[in-house]
Structures are given as structure tokens and as C-alpha cells.
Amino acid sequence: MSSPFFKIVRHPAALPVWILALALACLMPCLGTPGLWEPQEMAVADEAAARADKTHQVAQPSTACTKRPDPTGARTLTPRTAAWGLGTFANSDGGARLPFALLGVLGVMAVFGCAWRLGSARAGFFAGLVLVSFPLWALSSRQLTSDLPVAVGATLMVYAMAALSRPTQRSPELLSIDLTTALISLVAGAWLAFYGGGVLLGLVPPLAAIAIAGAFGVPVMIAGLVALWGSIDRRPLRPDRPPPAPDAIPTGVVALVAGLAAIGLGAFLVYQVFDLGPLTVGTRQVFGKSILTSDCWSSALGGVWRNDDDLRQTYDSLFEQAGFGMFPWAVLVPIALAALAGGACGERNRHGGAVVLGWAAAAWLCAAVFNRKVGFALYPGFPACAVGVGLWLDAVLSRRDALSSDDADRRGLSATTWALIGLVLTAGVIVMAKDLSAFPERLTSLMVGNDQIKYPANARFLGLPMKVWLWVVGLGVALPLTFAAWLWRPPHRASDGPPGPMWQTGLPGIAGYGLVVGLIITALTGMFWTHGWHRGLSENLSSKHVFQVYRDVRKTGEPLAIMGSMGNAPRYYAGGKTETLAGRDQLLEYLGRPTRTFALVPASELCPLHAARTEGTEYHVLDDTNTRFMLLSNRLGSLRDRNPLATAMTRTAPAWLANAGEKSMGTWENQIELVGVRVPKKVVRGEKFTVTLAFKVLAPVGGGWKIFAHFDGGGSRFQGDHDPIRGRCATNFWKVGDYVLDTFEVEAGNASFPTQNYDIWVGFFTGTNPNWRNATVTAAPDGLKDGNNRVKVGSVKLTSSRGGCCSAGDGDDATEGAVAAGLLALLVAVGLRRPRRPRV
């Protein structure tokens, strides 16, 4: 690693180049390939297209009290930025996204600059690398529902104020360049922050951070007053009150100005939002008057301050958004911020720690208030968290490098400390990955909130389900860093005596490689969020892909019709004229044409269409990747039919049922008859297995029933309640004479379930807890019906985990317990033993 090449690569001047290259590689390639997520991102594109239209007149702001947004005021920069991209670069998805991608690159470099100013170039490299791995940064840089101007503007302001606080002293020329760059960054950042987020979200957090870190300039003011009094009194200063250091003067002045600016902006915001009126019951009061909201659009706030709180937004709900938005590095953020601000990383980093902690905390407080009183907003403090982690990593490595001398301070660097940090990192990532796997809407809806965008279950990347990659990137970053923390030990000193065994001396060489591997996977994580997660989900959440399938397979003259509302998506992606279908009857008539036709219909129409089809009506599903619409055609051509009902609802019995022979196992409401069951004889405890129920429709089914499957044995029960046919077709659309194959998965209990036979009871139900109602069993073999309208259809044997030595958990208690036990065991083995004392 001492070759000239590696010296150049690791030179501080080369570090910003590598970060810039990584940011460009993450954001710029294939910028226009993913489609716009519908309907949220499409709505922003529609507004941007209207703004970009030269003939479109943007409404002028009104001076009267109104709730109508000011089209050129605060919090309008997102559609204006997209409109500028459409008009300047290209009238396409890529053209609208390009300004946000450029802002993302600028934000990475601004974060690098902040960490460099507050720490070192290496801290800037770490901070930029960590920021690139945040899904919140990646999605904000690639989607039109972005609040990125707020975060970038605040970062530029912090960089500028940090530069003004500690200007370079090398030469007058460099000093002038430094101050000019800082002033330009301050003006540009303030403009971005205000028009992107308004006073509360954009301007107050960075100003408050600098003011808090500098104690609002109070020490400098006191020192100035003391110096002034000394010049008047003509007596020397007391020896216990030395004059302030030269570096503290600009820091205190900038903190004082920032504090006054934050207070002034806050006062102006209060003046614009609130009024003092007559005493009113149920309101807060001051000076004998009630504090009332103006109920008008605030040009400084960028919204209307509500009288009532949005109860969906609790003051801790923003932690979830921030945590998932910074996965997987979010686990280390509180550790880094606390260590920096608390002085554990040395006095040199205490000021930087105070800045980033104040920045992150002020951003959280302002965003929490905004979400509760105004409307949804993204957490704008994630750049502060990246800077904090970068400063912390740099401080840790600097202290490790200084431990070679005998008189080095080793406090805070014991093996136990780092073993605990590694344990917290891995356990935290496992918990977060498990939560994201269970509730992936938290991540798909990260940019719009309230779980509005449902996770598409059929989303895949490189052949694996998209949710699996959350575990891959999370553990890929956490495990190398954890082993780097566990295997590192302070260098052996002569005064320590003879070296001990490996568990005492550690493996410093492998520990160093663990850090390198973790940082490499961090960079790859940034690539995954843009080129894997965003691009892959766009196939399911945007109609661009389904329109592309139509354009690829159509021939000249073959029409496309659309049933339902797709907004402006056809204008963006269809590539030609389309027909409109008013209802299901027109759709059946359209598909009945003698020539080949294509139709885009809502996914919810598939089951009614299947039920309403007549003999001889042919339709096929050519593409079902989109969560909202399916591409149908009356001619299959060379493509594969993706219709899930083609095999789940048939007019003839499936081969396996015909070979086994139909037998009536139960009838409900004289309408649905169970004629076959496929279930494994043995299942492993805690694992998932597949069950198939074969029904025959005897009469029109009234109402929409759900199916329950109870597995009872020895006082224990696990179950598989579900919507029929994976929710694709409700029972009221089942057609008389059809065979319905309902296939579903069941999780076979957990570690607490005894290994024995479990009887399988099935039936139909409707309603919600506690108002359940089961469908009446009108026929069943003797002894196989109980008093709750359940029918026994077989049994399954629950066995222990493979290998017979351990019990498999259910993915919740047992898995977490096993993980915790394993980590604790490794923790004890690697890090908790005291080093052997030297013999005297």
C-alpha cells in the first residue's frame, strides 16, 4: 500500500474527486429510464409541465388573506425545478429529474465541505460516502416528490458559516477566495433553503445549529465587554480571565449573527402566523387576549398553520422516517453524535459535534412541528447525520493511529467498548431490516408519507425479491464494521508484558480490511438505491413499463384502449393516440373484435371481466407488473399469458384433482363445495408451507367471503386466514361451474409449538373482530363438521427443525433470540476478557 499509486489515491486532495465520481455514478446513468411513480410523482410532473408551458400563466400571489398557495413563494422550488429541467434540458422524465440529480451531487460535495471544515478531508470523505448510502438522499435525488433543495440549502449554509468561523490563514489570496466562496455558498444556500422549505424548515435549523455550537456568541460578547472595560479602566486583566483565543473571535461573531438571524426569522414567522384576538374558550392566552392563527397562507412558512394538530403525526414519528431514510447507517448516528458532542472524540471535535448535533436536533424539532401543524415534510437534517458519522469515524481512526506511543491516552478505546458498539450495530441493523421486510411501505412511501405507496409483492432485482436485498445491503455494511470493531485491539506496548493469545491481542490486520469492506459495500449500497431499488420498483409503480411492452409487441394499426383514469400517463408514454372505454361492456366488445387489440384496464377489473366473459371470448394478460393496471389483448402472440385466473379459475378440473378423484369434503351455503386439498404430510416448525384448496362453484355466491384455515393440536393453533386467490378475485364474482384453486402460504407456528399432528379446519368468514360471521356449512361428511361451521379436511405433522438439534423460530421471538444469543456469545468470546497483566 506504499506504492506511488496508492499514495496519490489516498492523498487528501484526491478524496473529493472520489466522492464526486461516486455521486455521479449513482445519480447520472439511466436517469430517464425509470418512469414516474403514480399518482404522486405524476402530479408533480403535471404541475411542472404546466409551468414549463410558455402559454401557461402562473397565478400571481395575492396580498389578501387566502389559503391558496403562493406559486412563487416558499416551498415551491420542487415543481419549479422540475419545470426548469423540462424547459432547459429535455421534455422527458430524465429532463425533469436532471436538476434534482445535480442538486444531489451538489449536496454530497457540500457535506464533504462541511466535514472537511469541521474536521479533516478524511472526515469529508467518510461523510460523503455515508450520505450516498442513504435511501433518503438517493430517492430525493431521483424523484420529483423531493424536498432535496431544503437539505442542500441548509448544508451550504452550514458550510459557509463554518468557513467564516474558521477562515484559512495561509495567504491573503487564499483568504479572499475562501471568504468569497463562503459568501456565495451562504447566499445560494439561503435561497435554496427558503424557496425549498420556507423559514421554519429551511432557514432556522442551520442558523440555530451554528448559534447553539457557538453559545450564541455570549463568550465573545463577554470578552469584548471585558476588553472594553479594560481599555477604560487602564488596569491589566485578571490572570484568571485571559483574553479569548484568536480563533474563537470569528466563531463567536458568526454564532452571534446566526442566533440573531434565527430569532428574528422566528419572530417574523410568529407575527405572520398568529394574531391576538378577543378571549376565546379553548385557546391559549397572553396579556388577556387569545392567541389565534390567521388561517391564511403564510409566505414565510410555505403553508397554512392549522388550529388542530394532525394526530397521525406524533412527535416521535419522524424518528421512524429518519431511521429508515438513513438505513443502514442510522444505527450509528446517535452513537456518533453523542460521542462528538460529549467530548469522547477529543476537544478538537467538540465544536463540530455541537454543530451537527444542534443541526440534526433543530431540523427534527422544526420538521416535527411542521408535520403536525402544516403538512407532510421530509426530515431535512439527514446531511447533518452524515457529517456526524464522518467526523466520528475520522476521530476514531485518528486516535487509533496515535496509540503506537507508550504515553498515548487509551481511554474509551477498550475492547469492551468496541465489542458493545459492534453488537449494537449488528443487532440494530437486523431489527431495522426485519421491520422494513414486514412493513416495506415505510420505504416505498418514504417521499410521500402515510404508507400511500403500497409495496409491490412481485418486485424483484437480479432474480431475488426486492425485500431480500434490504437484508443484503444492511448486513453487508454492518457485519464487516462489526468484525472490524471486535477484532481490533490497541497496539501492544513493551510495558504490557509478553503478548497474550489471539483473543487478547485481536487481529488488527483483518480489522483494517473489515473497515475497507464495509466502506466499499456502503458505496455499492448507494448504487443499489438508485439503480436497483428505484429503477426496479418503477416497473411496478409506473405505467411507463407497461406502455413500453405495448409498443414493443404492437404492429401498425393495432389499437390501444384505456379503461379507467391514468391521468396524463398516456400522453407521456403511449407514443400515439389511444381509445377510451367507458365500461366493462365496451371492454368485452372491444376484445371481441376480429383483429388484434390491446387494452389497459385496472387490475381490480380482472375478476369482474373473467366472470362476465362469454363462451368464445378470448383475453390474455400480457403484462401484470404494474400495481394499478394490466395490459390485456385478445391475441396472445409469442408472449406468455400472465393471467393468474387462467389457472386458478377453470371450467374443468385440474389434472391432479382429476387423477385423485373428486370427493365432497364440505359445502357452504349450498353455493361452494370443497372437492380437493393439497397439503404436505410433514412441515418444519417455524417454516412456511403451501396449501391448495380446490372448490367447485354450485350456485351464484352472495357476498365476498374470506377463507380461514385453522391448524389445531394440543391446545395450540396456527392459522392461514386470507383473501381467496391472493386477493385477485372475490367470491361474489365466482362463476357457476368453475373450479377455483386457492393456493396460499401458512407459517407453521413457532418454537413454542409442540411437534405433533395438527388437524386442518377450513371455512369461510366475513366481518372484522369481534363481529365475525362464518358461512354456514350445509353439507359435510359425518364427524367432520363442528359447531363453528368449520370442516376438517386433513392433518399435518409438525416436526422440529432440520438436523434435530435446535428449534426453528418464527422469524420474530425465536429468530431475534437466536441472533441475540449468538451475538452475545461471540461478544464474550472476543471482547470481554481482560488483557493479561504483565508479571512483575
Side-chain angles (χ1 to χ4, degrees):
M1 293 286 182
S2 60
S3 65
F5 172 76
F6 284 105
K7 289 182 178 179
I8 295 174
V9 169
R10 299 173 61 182
H11 193 275
L15 297 181
V17 177
W18 298 126
I19 289 298
L20 177 61
L22 177 60
L24 292 173
C26 287
L27 295 183
M28 292 305 173
C30 306
L31 193 61
T33 300
L36 301 174
W37 291 14
E38 300 164 24
Q40 293 84 2
E41 198 178 7
M42 185 69 72
V44 179
D46 293 343
E47 182 180 351
R51 287 176 177 268
D53 187 357
K54 301 300 183 181
T55 62
H56 176 74
Q57 297 295 326
V58 177
Q60 296 300 316
S62 175
T63 57
C65 178
T66 178
K67 291 187 178 182
R68 186 175 62 184
D70 181 357
T72 59
R75 290 185 58 80
T76 61
L77 198 54
T78 292
R80 291 164 61 187
T81 301
W84 180 72
L86 291 174
T88 304
F89 299 110
N91 188 19
S92 63
D93 295 348
R97 288 195 182 107
L98 183 55
F100 294 99
L102 294 175
L103 275 177
V105 175
L106 177 62
V108 172
M109 301 312 298
V111 162
F112 178 94
C114 285
W116 168 52
R117 283 292 185 181
L118 298 173
S120 65
R122 184 171 64 177
F125 175 80
F126 290 148
L129 190 61
V130 170
L131 180 68
V132 167
S133 70
F134 287 172
L136 191 55
W137 171 83
L139 296 179
S140 295
S141 303
R142 301 273 290 196
Q143 290 193 288
L144 304 188
T145 52
S146 172
D147 280 351
L148 191 61
V150 188
V152 176
T155 308
L156 289 173
M157 292 179 65
V158 172
Y159 166 78
M161 289 183 284
L164 294 173
S165 300
R166 298 180 177 181
T168 181
Q169 304 290 334
R170 294 182 180 179
S171 67
E173 293 79 8
L174 290 178
L175 177 61
S176 61
I177 295 175
D178 198 22
L179 295 179
T180 302
T181 304
L183 291 175
I184 293 175
S185 299
L186 182 62
V187 173
W191 186 86
L192 287 171
F194 174 74
Y195 287 104
V199 169
L200 183 62
L201 282 178
L203 297 179
V204 170
L207 293 172
I210 297 297
I212 293 171
F216 286 86
V218 172
V220 173
M221 287 191 295
I222 294 176
L225 292 175
V226 170
L228 178 61
W229 176 255
S231 64
I232 297 175
D233 195 29
R234 301 293 182 179
R235 287 185 294 181
L237 295 175
R238 290 170 52 183
D240 59 337
R241 292 183 180 177
D247 292 344
I249 296 177
T251 301
V253 172
V254 172
L256 175 62
V257 174
L260 293 176
I263 294 173
L265 289 171
F268 175 72
L269 187 61
V270 170
Y271 168 77
Q272 193 177 72
V273 170
F274 297 101
D275 292 325
L276 292 179
L279 286 177
T280 305
V281 178
T283 61
R284 294 179 176 89
Q285 302 172 7
V286 63
F287 303 127
K289 293 187 176 183
S290 291
I291 303 176
L292 306 174
T293 59
S294 61
D295 205 26
C296 299
W297 183 270
S298 170
S299 60
L301 184 65
V304 178
W305 189 277
R306 291 190 292 251
N307 286 313
D308 299 325
D309 293 357
D310 184 355
L311 299 181
R312 296 174 301 174
Q313 302 292 336
T314 59
Y315 283 101
D316 61 348
S317 62
L318 206 63
F319 284 120
E320 184 179 84
Q321 182 199 101
F324 292 153
M326 296 186 292
F327 177 80
W329 281 92
V331 179
L332 283 181
V333 167
I335 297 175
L337 297 184
L340 289 169
C345 296
E347 292 299 321
R348 175 175 172 269
N349 293 288
R350 186 185 290 272
H351 175 72
V355 170
V356 294
L357 180 60
W359 182 7
W364 170 82
L365 180 61
C366 293
V369 172
F370 192 95
N371 277 271
R372 194 170 177 88
K373 301 297 294 187
V374 183
F376 176 77
L378 293 172
Y379 174 61
F382 62 93
C385 300
V387 174
V389 174
L391 292 173
W392 178 70
L393 285 175
D394 177 63
V396 167
L397 294 181
S398 296
R399 289 197 63 190
R400 286 187 175 186
D401 295 339
L403 291 180
S404 57
S405 61
D406 289 343
D407 57 347
D409 182 12
R410 299 194 173 192
R411 290 176 300 176
L413 290 176
S414 66
T416 302
T417 301
W418 289 106
L420 290 174
I421 291 177
L423 176 65
V424 170
L425 174 60
T426 298
V429 168
I430 288 174
V431 171
M432 291 186 68
K434 174 178 167 294
D435 289 343
L436 284 174
S437 298
F439 307 102
E441 288 78 13
R442 299 290 193 274
L443 207 50
T444 56
S445 305
L446 187 64
M447 305 298 295
V448 295
N450 297 326
D451 295 347
Q452 295 183 52
I453 303 177
K454 299 303 179 184
Y455 172 80
N458 56 342
R460 305 182 76 83
F461 177 63
L462 296 181
L464 294 177
M466 193 68 74
K467 290 194 295 186
V468 174
W469 287 99
L470 300 177
W471 288 92
V472 173
V473 299
L475 294 179
V477 172
L479 290 179
L481 296 179
T482 297
F483 283 109
W486 284 354
L487 299 178
W488 180 86
R489 295 292 185 278
H492 184 75
R493 297 178 298 190
S495 59
D496 294 334
M502 183 183 68
W503 59 264
Q504 291 180 347
T505 60
L507 297 172
I510 297 180
Y513 283 112
L515 177 62
V516 173
V517 171
L519 295 179
I520 291 175
I521 298 179
T522 297
L524 295 177
T525 300
M527 302 286 285
F528 165 74
W529 293 124
T530 54
H531 302 304
W533 179 268
H534 176 241
R535 188 174 177 179
L537 291 185
S538 295
E539 294 187 2
N540 308 102
L541 300 175
S542 171
S543 57
K544 184 175 185 177
H545 174 75
V546 71
F547 277 107
Q548 183 63 49
V549 173
Y550 159 70
R551 294 198 303 271
D552 290 342
V553 302
R554 71 173 178 180
K555 295 181 180 179
T556 304
E558 295 178 343
L560 173 67
I562 298 175
M563 177 180 174
S565 175
M566 299 188 70
N568 283 325
R571 181 165 65 90
Y572 295 152
Y573 303 134
K577 295 183 178 180
T578 61
E579 301 180 26
T580 301
L581 301 174
R584 202 171 300 144
D585 293 337
Q586 286 192 13
L587 174 61
L588 291 171
E589 181 182 353
Y590 176 78
L591 292 174
R593 293 181 185 180
T595 58
R596 192 181 192 188
T597 59
F598 298 87
L600 279 169
V601 302
S604 58
E605 283 292 318
L606 182 62
C607 183
L609 173 64
H610 193 82
R613 74 193 188 283
T614 58
E615 297 294 339
T617 301
E618 183 180 2
Y619 82 97
H620 306 278
V621 178
L622 303 186
D623 187 87
D624 65 344
T625 56
N626 189 268
T627 57
R628 299 172 63 237
F629 284 85
M630 288 184 170
L631 179 62
L632 308 182
S633 179
N634 56 1
R635 302 290 186 273
L636 185 59
S638 60
L639 300 181
R640 179 172 64 89
D641 193 354
R642 299 178 180 273
N643 185 1
L645 303 184
T647 55
M649 302 180 71
T650 62
R651 302 300 292 178
T652 58
W656 66 267
L657 183 60
N659 294 333
E662 296 181 29
K663 59 179 180 179
S664 179
M665 307 176 72
T667 304
W668 289 265
E669 305 284 344
N670 291 319
Q671 300 168 351
I672 304 173
E673 181 184 16
L674 180 65
V675 294
V677 176
R678 297 185 76 178
V679 63
K681 296 180 179 179
K682 296 181 180 181
V683 295
V684 178
R685 182 170 51 188
E687 294 189 357
K688 292 183 178 180
F689 62 97
T690 301
V691 179
T692 299
L693 304 176
F695 299 101
K696 187 173 183 179
V697 185
L698 306 178
V701 182
W705 299 94
K706 295 183 179 181
I707 299 175
F708 65 79
H710 296 165
F711 297 78
D712 296 346
S716 300
R717 170 186 292 179
F718 59 92
Q719 58 193 60
D721 298 355
H722 62 282
D723 292 314
I725 320 178
R726 304 183 188 274
R728 285 294 191 182
C729 194
T731 56
N732 55 305
F733 289 107
W734 291 6
K735 194 172 183 179
V736 176
D738 274 356
Y739 288 87
V740 179
L741 303 182
D742 176 55
T743 301
F744 58 99
E745 286 187 337
V746 181
E747 194 167 5
N750 55 45
S752 64
F753 281 67
T755 54
Q756 60 182 17
N757 286 327
Y758 286 77
D759 294 333
I760 306 173
W761 299 83
V762 300
F764 293 84
F765 74 97
T766 186
T768 57
N769 189 26
N771 299 316
W772 309 109
R773 187 175 77 84
N774 291 351
T776 303
V777 177
T778 52
D782 293 339
L784 299 182
K785 170 189 172 183
D786 70 358
N788 294 318
N789 287 305
R790 304 188 308 169
V791 174
K792 182 180 176 181
V793 299
S795 63
V796 61
K797 185 175 182 179
L798 198 63
T799 63
S800 61
S801 60
R802 294 183 178 91
C805 64
C806 307
S807 295
D810 64 345
D812 292 326
D813 299 335
T815 300
E816 292 179 359
V819 169
L823 290 176
L824 285 173
L826 190 57
L827 174 68
V828 172
V830 175
L832 287 182
R833 292 191 179 183
R834 296 181 179 272
R836 184 173 55 187
R837 295 181 179 273
R839 296 181 179 178
V840 179

